[in-house]
Amino acid sequence: MSSVSTTVKMRCPGCGQESEQLVYRHIDAVAEPELKARVLSGELFLHTCPSCGRKSLITFPVIYRDEHLLACLSDRSIAVEGLEGVSGRLVADIGSLIEKVKIFNAGLDDVPLEFCKFVTRQELGKDVDLKFLRLDGADNDIIFTYPEGGQMQMLAVGFNNYEDCRAIVARNPEITNGLSGLVRVDREWTEQFLR
Ligand SMILES: [Zn+2]
């Protein structure tokens, strides 16, 4: 697989100006590592209106691939080749795609991380949508973000919490047994094991 892009016309939701935009259908970050940086920053999925400067999200189905991850943003079930040796993930939106790339790029595994989110939500006592941002500091604190009151909140969680979840996942093979092909590893997926 190599990167595939097309040019589409996008209409600015602000001023209505139409302009051309390069849209990636396949992102091969193994062949083109510079694309990974543009995914991590989110820039690859932002359209900037040449007339008024307004930025809007480019939401097209896309397949992303790097050394550890093959992530597919699609509303349909699709067949994908090249899943040997990588984690295959289905994602529902661009934000989730970028988060998966961040998680694997940090050397983490999204399965224990989703369990770590569950524990963190319980400790917070709030039903919030946690997203992984980065590892931080000498102790590799896990930084999550979540929206609250119209703002993004940041939360640091000790790396030992992630290690505890990784140990739980390792002790319960039924969790990882179903991880073949493309799997949507998200909050709902995680909670099926916690009922
Ligand atoms: Zn505009």
Side-chain angles (χ1 to χ4, degrees), residues 159-180:
F159 195 76
N160 59 304
N161 290 280
Y162 171 78
E163 289 177 314
D164 290 347
C165 289
R166 195 167 54 185
I168 291 166
V169 170
R171 280 199 304 273
N172 293 275
E174 74 272 17
I175 296 172
T176 45
N177 278 348
L179 285 176
S180 65

Side-chain angles (χ1 to χ4, degrees), residues 12-17 49-54:
C12 173
C15 70
Q17 172 76 42
C49 173
S51 179
C52 74
R54 177 163 169 162

